[in-house]
């Protein structure tokens, strides 16, 4: 008997208590409070009621207020005309099970049947599919998070005990006035025909709601349904994610770093590709362990390579516009798509590139570059790996307007790697015409090729294959 009770306790804990606690406390997989400047969401449970729901709709119409009605299927089935009126007057209809019974006492399959049946009642009355669900008493079980398909679970930020008649209209209004503020999701009831509720309690709710709506209007607040509140919340979150403007110390640091980079380009003969290109480059001997590439070629120590450098001024601009490291990676790939033909033209015209065995670079933002023909290879452990990590993290921290916070959030994805491609593979990607032009440049070094953005009249069009580059970056 003791074991039976113990297993029963475990079952209830993981099936019911913990999911309910997590959803209510942390808002996991549920929406319970919005972020808005002057909007309040009104929600009504347990209806429709043939007496009180029409009066409520009249009241909402007088104040141009919108609301969300979480209907009980057994009530909605009897009054489809009220569902149609809700829909026609711009309100949102959600699901509150077919019968007002807690999900803790039903199997997952039964919960799903209750929801589907109520959803079909709503569809037949309004011609629309409901996408919002509020479980009775806000109680979810373990399977609700994964078993509800397209439905968004909606809870609340404030409730007032309005299902009890003894609360009275005055006390109910006092409670509601304490929550008269933007972003609140208020729970009220337009029907008293469910277990534990008083039949005439909605009369007090209506008496309190009218002065509440009037007070809200006088403060410039709007009463909206849950779809509008979710949309406003999403917009507010997007705005909040925009990086703040750089302070004076940050601007000085960035200016110094850019100055150092210009000096580096001069001292180490780093060449510009084109004005709007993401890359700089130089031809240097490769230092490191032999790289074996996917086309079978190898780059060994002291082999000449085209070492690619990213334009950090452009990177700074992209970082100031991106809201996440993933979005930054997408933007960088799009810039790379535009820059690869420019790089091909420039390298075709540069005699110093002739002996190079491949293209080579190191970056922390390297996911997705395979579509351009690069192999992504790990950096061998050692001093170079450690120093590269430190340098690149410092670089991104300096250039990132959000400072170290974004790097901290994405640190597991920021792993520096080698990006390499053999020159043969690069010219195959660039096209045979450009490779022939390279040979022409070798025969006639006095002739200038590719000095302009479009390559000039002397240079044939680049046939660089970017067919795969249009695909979205996937982290």
């Amino acid at each position: 008997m003791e074991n039976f009770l113990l297993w029963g306790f475990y079952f209830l804990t993981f099936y019911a208590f913990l999911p309910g606690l997590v959803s209510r406390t942390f808002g996991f997989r549920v929406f319970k409070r919005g972020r808005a400047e002057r909007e309040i969401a009104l929600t009504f449970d347990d209806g429709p009621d043939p007496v009180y729901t029409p009066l409520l709709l009249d009241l909402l119409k007088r104040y141009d207020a919108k609301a969300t009605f979480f209907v009980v299927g057994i009530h909605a089935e009897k009054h489809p005309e009220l569902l149609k009126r809700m829909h026609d007057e711009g309100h949102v209809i959600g699901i509150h099970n077919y019968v007002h019974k807690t999900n803790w006492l039903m199997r997952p399959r039964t919960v799903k049947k209750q929801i589907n049946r109520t959803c079909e009642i709503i569809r037949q009355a309004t011609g629309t599919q409901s996408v919002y669900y509020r479980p009775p008493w806000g109680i979810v079980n373990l399977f609700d998070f994964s078993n509800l398909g397209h439905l968004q679970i909606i809870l609340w930020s404030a409730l007032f005990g309005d299902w009890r008649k003894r609360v009275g209209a005055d006390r109910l209004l006092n409670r509601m006035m304490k929550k008269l503020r933007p972003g609140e999701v208020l729970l009220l009831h337009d029907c008293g025909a469910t277990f534990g509720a008083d039949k005439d309690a909605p009369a007090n709710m209506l008496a309190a709601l009218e002065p509440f709506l009037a007070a809200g209007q006088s403060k410039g607040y709007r009463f909206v349904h849950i779809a509008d509140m979710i949309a406003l919340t999403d917009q507010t979150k997007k705005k909040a994610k925009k990086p703040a403007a750089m302070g004076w110390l940050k601007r000085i640091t960035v200016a110094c770093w850019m100055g150092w980079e210009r000096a580096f380009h001069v001292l180490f003969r780093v060449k510009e590709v084109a004005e709007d290109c993401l890359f700089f480059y130089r031809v240097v001997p490769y230092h490191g362990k032999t790289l074996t590439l996917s086309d079978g070629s190898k780059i060994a120590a002291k082999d000449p390579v085209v070492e690619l450098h990213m334009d950090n001024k452009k990177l700074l601009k992209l970082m100031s516009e991106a809201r996440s490291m993933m979005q930054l990676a997408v933007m960088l790939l799009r810039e790379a798509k535009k820059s690869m033909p420019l790089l091909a033209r420039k390298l075709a015209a540069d005699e110093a590139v002739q002996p190079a065995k491949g293209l080579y670079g190191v970056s922390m933002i390297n996911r997705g570059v395979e579509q351009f023909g690069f192999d992504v290879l790990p950096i061998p452990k050692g001093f170079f790996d450690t120093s590269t990590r430190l340098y690149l993290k410092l670089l991104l921290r300096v250039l990132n307007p959000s400072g170290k916070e974004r790097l901290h959030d994405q640190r597991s994805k920021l792993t520096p790697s080698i990006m390499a491609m053999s020159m043969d593979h690069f010219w195959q990607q660039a096209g045979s015409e450009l490779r022939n032009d390279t040979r022409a440049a070798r025969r006639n070094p006095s002739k200038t090729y590719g000095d302009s953005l479009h390559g000039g009249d002397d240079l044939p069009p680049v046939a660089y294959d970017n067919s795969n580059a249009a695909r979205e970056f996937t982290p």
Side-chain angles (χ1 to χ4, degrees):
M1 182 64 180
E2 183 178 346
N3 287 337
F4 177 78
L5 293 175
L6 186 61
W7 280 107
F9 173 78
Y10 289 155
F11 174 77
L12 289 176
T13 297
F14 288 101
Y15 181 73
F17 299 146
L18 281 182
L21 178 66
V22 169
S23 63
R24 287 300 308 166
T25 306
F26 302 105
F28 176 72
R29 299 288 299 276
V30 301
F31 184 86
K32 64 175 186 175
R33 183 182 177 84
R35 294 173 63 179
E37 294 182 359
R38 60 190 187 96
E39 286 79 17
I40 300 170
L42 294 173
T43 68
F44 298 91
D45 285 8
D46 297 356
D49 182 276
V51 175
Y52 295 111
T53 300
L55 296 174
L56 173 59
L57 289 170
D58 292 341
L59 178 59
L60 294 174
K61 190 172 185 179
R62 286 201 302 273
Y63 285 89
D64 193 26
K66 304 303 177 186
T68 307
F69 291 85
F70 290 96
V71 300
V72 175
I74 197 171
H75 299 158
E77 200 169 31
K78 298 174 183 176
H79 304 287
E81 75 284 354
L82 292 179
L83 298 186
K84 187 176 187 305
R85 182 182 171 186
M86 292 173 188
H87 175 72
D88 292 345
E89 294 182 4
H91 305 292
V92 166
I93 304 175
I95 299 164
H96 202 44
N97 282 357
Y98 182 75
V99 296
H100 199 276
K101 187 177 181 181
T102 174
N103 290 9
W104 284 3
L105 302 179
M106 294 187 290
R107 294 177 300 172
R109 182 182 298 178
T110 305
V111 174
K112 193 170 185 178
K113 286 182 178 179
Q114 293 247 344
I115 291 171
N116 290 341
R117 187 172 180 181
T118 306
C119 188
E120 181 59 20
I121 292 168
I122 296 170
R123 190 194 64 78
Q124 289 181 2
T126 66
T128 59
Q129 188 88 357
S130 181
V131 296
Y132 300 107
Y133 173 62
R134 174 175 286 164
W137 295 291
I139 294 173
V140 295
N141 64 46
L142 178 63
F143 298 97
D144 285 341
F145 297 125
S146 60
N147 203 31
L148 297 182
H150 66 285
L151 296 176
Q152 166 71 58
I153 300 176
I154 306 296
L155 298 183
W156 57 85
S157 61
L159 76 165
F160 311 100
D162 64 309
W163 59 88
R164 301 188 191 95
K165 187 176 180 179
R166 65 174 182 272
V167 171
D170 292 339
R171 186 157 50 147
L172 178 58
L173 177 60
N174 289 334
R175 292 177 180 178
M176 292 169 65
M177 290 300 295
K178 293 177 182 178
K179 299 295 182 179
L180 185 61
R181 57 195 182 199
E184 295 287 350
V185 178
L186 307 183
L187 169 56
L188 296 165
H189 297 79
D190 61 325
C191 179
T194 56
F195 177 76
D198 296 326
K199 185 177 180 180
D200 296 327
N204 291 332
M205 182 275 293
L206 292 171
L209 182 60
E210 183 161 11
F212 180 78
L213 293 174
Q217 276 196 353
S218 69
K219 290 179 178 288
Y221 296 153
R222 291 195 311 127
F223 296 94
V224 299
H225 52 59
I226 203 66
D228 283 348
M229 181 60 77
I230 291 175
L232 289 167
T233 301
D234 290 342
Q235 292 174 12
T236 303
K237 288 180 178 179
K238 287 181 180 179
K239 291 179 182 178
K241 288 181 179 178
K242 289 185 177 179
M246 287 191 293
W248 65 270
L249 181 60
K250 186 80 171 179
R251 290 197 297 270
I252 291 175
T253 304
V254 170
C256 291
W257 192 284
M258 292 301 178
W260 178 88
E261 183 180 77
R262 286 192 292 271
F264 177 88
H265 285 184
V266 173
L267 289 173
F268 295 95
R269 300 180 181 180
V270 178
K271 302 178 182 180
E272 183 180 16
V273 173
E275 184 178 350
D276 195 38
C277 185
L278 181 64
F279 304 113
F280 289 83
Y281 77 99
R282 62 176 182 160
V283 179
V284 295
Y286 168 69
H287 298 287
K289 294 182 178 180
T290 299
L291 302 177
T292 302
L293 306 180
S294 58
D295 64 353
S297 60
K298 295 184 178 182
I299 299 176
K302 298 185 179 180
D303 283 344
V305 293
V306 177
E307 183 181 83
L308 296 180
H309 294 261
M310 195 174 293
D311 182 353
N312 287 329
K313 186 176 180 180
K314 185 178 285 289
L315 179 60
L316 173 64
K317 180 178 182 296
L318 294 178
M319 278 189 163
S320 66
E321 297 172 355
R323 296 184 183 132
S324 67
M325 293 302 293
M326 186 177 74
Q327 186 181 11
L328 174 63
V330 173
M331 296 166 74
L332 282 172
L333 287 181
R334 289 173 179 165
E335 288 295 325
K337 176 185 176 181
K338 295 188 295 184
S339 297
M340 290 301 287
L342 302 177
L343 177 64
R345 292 188 182 106
K346 184 69 174 180
L347 296 185
D350 190 343
E351 187 177 359
V353 174
Q354 174 184 343
K357 293 291 186 70
L359 275 71
Y360 170 86
V362 177
S363 177
M364 299 183 76
I365 308 173
N366 48 57
R367 303 186 71 172
V369 299
E370 296 90 347
Q371 61 191 260
F372 301 111
F374 286 98
D375 291 322
V376 178
L377 306 168
I379 300 176
K381 297 296 182 182
F383 175 76
F384 179 70
D385 175 52
T386 303
S387 60
T388 299
R389 287 174 184 268
L390 290 175
Y391 170 77
L392 291 177
K393 285 185 179 180
L394 178 61
L395 170 65
L396 291 183
R397 181 168 174 178
V398 168
L399 297 183
N400 194 333
S402 299
K404 65 181 180 180
E405 288 81 7
R406 191 179 294 175
L407 299 183
H408 178 77
D409 292 340
Q410 301 288 334
R411 61 188 183 277
S412 62
K413 298 179 182 178
L414 295 175
T415 303
S417 298
I418 295 170
M419 299 180 295
M421 183 193 324
S422 70
M423 291 307 298
D424 286 341
H425 186 55
F426 176 75
W427 294 126
Q428 288 173 8
Q429 293 281 89
S432 58
E433 290 185 357
L434 192 58
R435 193 173 190 183
N436 292 335
D437 189 75
T438 307
R439 293 170 180 168
R442 295 173 188 171
R443 291 193 300 268
N444 188 3
S446 63
K447 193 174 184 180
T448 302
Y449 292 88
D451 289 335
S452 71
L453 182 64
H454 301 289
D457 296 333
D458 297 322
L459 191 62
V462 174
Y464 199 91
D465 180 10
N466 279 320
S467 59
N468 292 326
R471 293 180 297 181
E472 283 290 300
F473 168 80
T474 302

